[in-house]
Amino acid sequence: MKTFPIGGIHPSDNKQWSKAKAIEVLDLPDQVTIPLAQHIGAPATAKVAKGDKVLTGQLIGEASSFMSANIHSPISGTVASVDMLPNGQGLRQQMITIKREGDEWVDTIDRSEELKRECGLSSKEIIAKIKDAGVVGMGGATFPTHVKLSIPDGCKAEILIINGVECEPYLTSDYRTMLELGERMLVGVEILMKAVGVDRAVIGVENNKPDAIAHLRELIAKGGYRGIEVMPLQLRYPQGGEKQLIAAVTGRQVPPPPALPIHVGAVVCNASTTVAVYEAVQKNKPLIERVVTVTGKQIAEPRNLLTRMGTPVEKLIERAGGLPDTDVKVLNGGPMMGRAMVNLSSPVTKGCSGLTVISGDEASRGEASACIKCGKCVSACPMGLEPYLISKMSRKKLWDAAEDHNVTDCIECGCCSYSCPANIPLLDYIRLGKQTVMGIIRARAAKK
Amino acid sequence: MKVLILTVLTLCVLGGLLAIVLYFVARKFKVEEDPRIDDVEKMLPGANCGGCGFAGCRAMAEALVKQDDISSLYCPVGGADVMKGAASYLGKAAPEKGPEVATVRCGGVCSKRPKTNSFDGAKSCAVASSLYVGESACSFGCLGYGDCVEVCQFGAIKVNPETGIAEVDPDKCTACGACVKACPKGLIELRKKWPKDRAVYVACRSKDKGAVVMKACKAGCIGCGKCEKVCPFGAITVENNLAFIDSQKCKLCRKCVNECPTGAIKLVGMEPLPKEPKTPAAKPAEKSDAKTETKE
């Protein structure tokens, strides 16, 4: 069975809590707050003002540049404010608050359940529709999908890879999506294949989801989907990283930035995003809802909830039985790459694949001691970096040296911190170094 | 024995010859350098702190000698005396600048700014501030992990474990500005240094609206503008819900201190003005607050 060539770790997957829970629809919230920056790149520009009436699916934020994404209203109602509000990390960002009145949809959206397989659109039309619908990568990185699908001149896509790996422990939203919305996903794959002009697509799924593999294979055989193949992958974190997945499936290594996956002929798209693509192209439905896993040992009733964007996080946790009275850590995402939250009234966004609740004891990192140069972080790093070294460089503010040692290649997977026997917060410093060096590189480019 | 003598002799001759070669080479390729650079360098404190903006004292000395107009150059560590000395030696006009001291503009002590979560990551302000708001609900306040302490070469700044806020020792502070650059929240400012370390400043940097500030911290500036109105010297400006006292215009009249409803204006080294009789109801409590603040 295939996997990526270097590094990686084997954390316990802890998917048992929410794995068997079918997707449920969460009640519509009375009020939503929608950040204008839910994606990588420039924030969208607000198209509505206080007092405006909006319909479900109406455009409320317009992409401000190519590297940006549209934002649509997830409910119908009245805009209460466009203001700076705290996000999950307590930092203020521009958000639109909408008070709900009923649930009236924009009439161009096809809300029927039936599967629509035929798509007569051209590649350009498909990408335009995806752009209009504001689809971004839903695995967590929130990279605008239309940018990914726009193949730069001189490059040619050879293979489409669908990321159904979900290597992050605890999370099961992609898994449930593949099981329950598998057909829509396969039509989405066909559309994406057409959009990027390839005749081969591989759906990568880790072998801890044998039922998803079997289900998709059955659907492919039954529906006669041509050129689509399901590839089981050996369980290993961070297989769901774009570069790791490409290496696992094709055996090709993506060169360091600014090279993109397309330079080795691959386009990668997440499983949930593929469903969103289907809905955008076939049903005219913008990205206004997603499946969010609410899970953890501390949660009484873990669930997979189909949630409208902008719903306060506390509503989801409430639906899953609420938080215990003890000290807990709530993560937006999984335990490896998720971000700790301090504000539970913050909204669900396009990149929020799950909410993981872990106890204070589990979350505690323990006292850090000196580095003994055991090299575990080096063996664990899937990008072949030297985490102990670049972490130290960032700590000592040796930005030039950190750049020379490719700190910008770091994918922030956390394998180094996870494997460090001395509990050194390696990634904390590496992330700081990466941000600073990226800033330096941008400033340098701007000067030229 | 013969070998020994021969060896010593050969080495002596070789050494002599090479010395002559070196002498001529040194004469031929001599780098002309202004001897005044060495003299000026000796006058500078030699801390190599970079507070002047140059890589070290040598670079500063070079700039002082080479530039005709030295009004933009200043050694914060040496201060006016050193600058005057160097300027008179070089026959140039000394830059005018009074002594300054680093001031941490946050008054959100533990009792005023409740902790809402605990941070378990790398103990670094830069790391914490790049990740999230911090351990309180105020996104502008001092994080207290001591990035400023780490960069101070003079041991002049410490994080007080009781208040969780960095504090400057004015006697040791040379106003080199290293901490100003190190603070990711931009809380530290170089302010005019008064005799006996007296100071009046707004100990808050929060640009949030008043209601938001009140929720996060009881000692924050709510931008009410009362101080701006009462200041007779026009030293106070309120912008983005935040008051700022220009230390160059402030004359330490202390009128603003009693006006401030949250005690965000800090008074150091002086007694507050006696309370005015016209608003007797609300004032006393605030004044006692201001006093305890001063002690901290």
Side-chain angles (χ1 to χ4, degrees):
Chain A
M1 206 174 283
K2 286 184 172 180
T3 187
F4 56 97
I6 51 166
I9 52 172
H10 294 94
S12 47
D13 77 357
N14 278 313
K15 291 190 194 278
Q16 68 271 27
W17 313 109
S18 56
K19 199 172 158 180
K21 308 287 162 92
I23 298 171
E24 290 172 57
V25 180
L26 184 73
D27 303 335
L28 293 183
D30 297 330
Q31 185 176 308
V32 292
T33 44
I34 304 128
L36 287 167
Q38 296 190 31
H39 46 262
I40 287 183
T45 323
K47 288 305 246 182
V48 287
K50 191 181 169 178
D52 287 1
K53 294 265 178 215
V54 292
L55 297 176
T56 308
Q58 185 182 328
L59 184 77
I60 52 171
E62 195 176 35
S64 55
S65 69
F66 180 59
M67 189 65 171
S68 184
N70 285 345
I71 288 169
H72 300 79
S73 176
I75 55 170
S76 62
T78 317
V79 177
S81 72
V82 182
D83 200 6
M84 301 294 277
L85 293 173
N87 65 7
Q89 281 68 46
L91 303 171
R92 273 161 204 283
Q93 63 180 101
Q94 192 85 0
M95 295 192 201
I96 298 173
T97 308
I98 301 170
K99 282 216 157 57
R100 185 171 70 90
E101 289 147 21
D103 188 26
E104 210 177 310
W105 287 59
V106 171
D107 50 16
T108 51
I109 300 171
D110 174 6
R111 293 184 67 198
S112 65
E113 286 291 311
E114 102 198 63
L115 189 77
K116 191 178 159 197
R117 210 171 146 184
E118 296 75 34
C119 171
L121 301 172
S122 72
S123 161
K124 269 203 178 128
E125 285 165 336
I126 291 172
I127 295 172
K129 267 196 143 175
I130 290 170
K131 184 172 191 274
D132 287 343
V135 180
V136 302
M138 287 158 79
T142 63
F143 192 91
T145 304
H146 67 269
V147 180
K148 210 176 237 189
L149 300 179
S150 308
I151 313 288
D153 293 338
C155 292
K156 199 187 168 319
E158 289 163 32
I159 183 170
L160 172 72
I161 302 171
I162 301 301
N163 189 345
V165 174
E166 202 162 50
C167 59
E168 182 81 35
Y170 287 91
L171 305 184
T172 54
S173 57
D174 283 351
Y175 166 72
R176 289 311 310 183
T177 303
M178 287 189 286
L179 272 189
E180 295 178 40
L181 309 171
E183 279 194 308
R184 295 187 202 177
M185 187 180 105
L186 291 175
V187 179
V189 177
E190 280 189 328
I191 294 167
L192 285 173
M193 284 163 76
K194 204 169 171 188
V196 295
V198 294
D199 47 21
R200 185 171 170 235
V202 173
I203 305 171
V205 185
E206 273 187 346
N207 65 348
N208 60 343
K209 307 174 197 57
D211 42 350
I213 298 171
H215 178 69
L216 288 176
R217 280 185 172 158
E218 197 189 309
L219 287 178
I220 291 170
K222 211 163 68 184
Y225 293 94
R226 289 167 72 189
I228 306 176
E229 170 198 342
V230 182
M231 186 184 283
L233 299 166
Q234 196 186 313
L235 186 63
R236 196 160 167 216
Y237 178 88
Q239 191 125 243
E242 193 170 49
K243 290 172 185 172
Q244 282 64 37
L245 184 59
I246 294 170
V249 172
T250 66
R252 293 178 199 167
Q253 290 267 310
V254 180
L260 298 166
I262 190 65
H263 293 114
V264 294
V267 175
V268 184
C269 193
N270 165 273
S272 297
T273 317
T274 311
V275 175
V277 163
Y278 161 78
E279 291 186 331
V281 177
Q282 302 292 69
K283 303 272 181 178
N284 290 322
K285 187 179 154 195
L287 181 55
I288 53 166
E289 55 185 6
R290 67 159 300 146
V291 181
V292 180
T293 306
V294 186
T295 179
K297 212 196 277 179
Q298 307 291 319
I299 289 284
E301 306 155 46
R303 283 173 200 277
N304 295 296
L305 298 168
L306 183 65
T307 312
R308 296 279 172 94
M309 303 296 171
T311 309
V313 164
E314 55 202 3
K315 288 264 176 232
L316 281 80
I317 294 176
E318 209 175 278
R319 175 71 187 265
L323 289 180
D325 295 331
T326 51
D327 259 2
V328 290
K329 183 175 187 175
V330 181
L331 292 152
N332 179 350
M336 293 303 295
M337 289 199 69
R339 293 194 78 177
M341 304 184 84
V342 293
N343 174 19
L344 295 185
S345 54
S346 62
V348 166
T349 57
K350 291 178 181 176
C352 175
S353 45
L355 299 167
T356 311
V357 178
I358 50 181
S359 72
D361 296 339
E362 276 179 300
S364 161
R365 298 205 203 174
E367 198 68 25
S369 53
C371 173
I372 54 164
K373 305 278 186 296
C374 65
K376 276 197 177 172
C377 55
V378 181
S379 328
C381 181
M383 295 305 292
L385 303 173
E386 293 167 279
Y388 74 96
L389 192 64
I390 48 177
S391 174
K392 188 97 184 184
M393 285 163 175
S394 303
R395 196 169 175 171
K396 298 282 173 204
K397 301 194 174 70
L398 303 169
W399 309 128
D400 291 349
E403 189 183 346
D404 288 346
H405 284 79
N406 305 312
V407 69
T408 50
D409 283 8
C410 174
I411 57 165
E412 305 179 23
C413 64
C415 288
C416 50
S417 296
Y418 179 88
S419 57
C420 181
N423 293 324
I424 299 172
L426 292 162
L427 180 60
D428 283 1
Y429 286 108
I430 295 174
R431 208 189 270 125
L432 177 70
K434 184 179 163 186
Q435 278 172 13
T436 314
V437 170
M438 297 269 245
I440 293 170
I441 293 172
R442 270 196 300 270
R444 206 186 292 147
K447 242 184 206 171
K448 269 179 192 169
Chain B
M1 193 64 195
K2 201 177 162 191
V3 177
L4 198 69
I5 294 168
L6 211 65
T7 314
V8 171
L9 261 175
T10 322
L11 278 175
C12 285
V13 171
L14 203 66
L17 278 174
L18 286 174
I20 292 162
V21 173
L22 272 179
Y23 172 76
F24 283 107
V25 171
R27 285 288 291 268
K28 174 101 180 150
F29 298 107
K30 192 176 179 211
V31 179
E32 284 297 336
E33 200 175 42
D34 199 326
R36 295 180 300 171
I37 293 175
D38 282 332
D39 294 337
V40 174
E41 191 190 353
K42 272 177 206 146
M43 288 179 197
L44 295 172
N48 288 321
C49 64
C52 52
F54 292 98
C57 293
R58 178 83 189 173
M60 172 69 164
E62 273 177 30
L64 280 169
V65 171
K66 279 178 191 156
Q67 289 183 19
D68 291 330
D69 178 20
I70 59 167
S71 57
S72 60
L73 305 176
Y74 193 78
C75 170
V77 179
D81 293 341
V82 166
M83 290 315 294
K84 233 179 247 168
S88 67
Y89 172 79
L90 295 166
K92 295 172 184 173
E96 292 286 329
K97 203 173 178 189
E100 287 184 322
V101 65
T103 311
V104 182
R105 284 158 65 195
C106 176
V109 296
C110 302
S111 55
K112 303 258 180 190
R113 186 168 54 138
K115 206 170 152 178
T116 56
N117 62 84
S118 59
F119 180 60
D120 197 25
K123 295 279 176 277
S124 150
C125 305
V127 169
S129 78
S130 72
L131 288 173
Y132 81 128
V133 62
E135 284 180 310
S136 74
C138 174
S139 57
F140 296 90
C142 180
L143 295 164
Y145 304 120
D147 280 15
C148 49
V149 179
E150 212 169 291
V151 296
C152 183
Q153 294 191 33
F154 306 97
I157 195 161
K158 294 257 151 39
V159 175
N160 186 334
E162 273 168 32
T163 60
I165 291 176
E167 285 173 8
V168 179
D169 180 348
D171 297 332
K172 289 184 184 166
C173 178
T174 59
C176 70
C179 54
V180 177
K181 281 180 213 141
C183 181
K185 299 281 186 189
L187 284 176
I188 309 177
E189 187 204 353
L190 295 179
R191 293 180 69 87
K192 182 175 174 181
K193 191 176 182 181
W194 290 86
K196 295 186 188 163
D197 302 325
R198 288 171 176 158
V200 175
Y201 63 95
V202 180
C204 184
R205 286 277 285 158
S206 176
K207 288 175 186 155
D208 281 336
K209 285 176 189 153
V212 179
V213 174
M214 292 285 254
K215 249 188 197 170
C217 173
K218 291 191 198 88
C221 173
I222 53 172
C224 65
K226 282 185 175 175
C227 51
E228 188 179 21
K229 278 183 206 131
V230 83
C231 181
F233 307 103
I236 306 181
T237 44
V238 179
E239 221 174 276
N240 299 326
N241 309 309
L242 177 65
F244 171 71
I245 305 179
D246 187 335
S247 64
Q248 299 300 329
K249 289 183 187 162
C250 175
K251 305 267 190 270
L252 301 187
C253 75
R254 293 167 286 167
K255 275 187 181 157
C256 55
V257 181
N258 286 351
E259 276 308 311
C260 182
T262 60
I265 300 183
K266 266 203 183 191
L267 181 62
V268 184
M270 282 184 293
E271 283 297 308
L273 286 177
K275 62 182 176 193
E276 283 173 36
K278 63 179 176 183
T279 48
K283 280 286 146 84
E286 284 161 25
K287 239 196 74 186
S288 65
D289 255 359
K291 262 187 189 170
T292 48
E293 282 280 318
T294 320
K295 274 174 202 158
E296 277 163 9

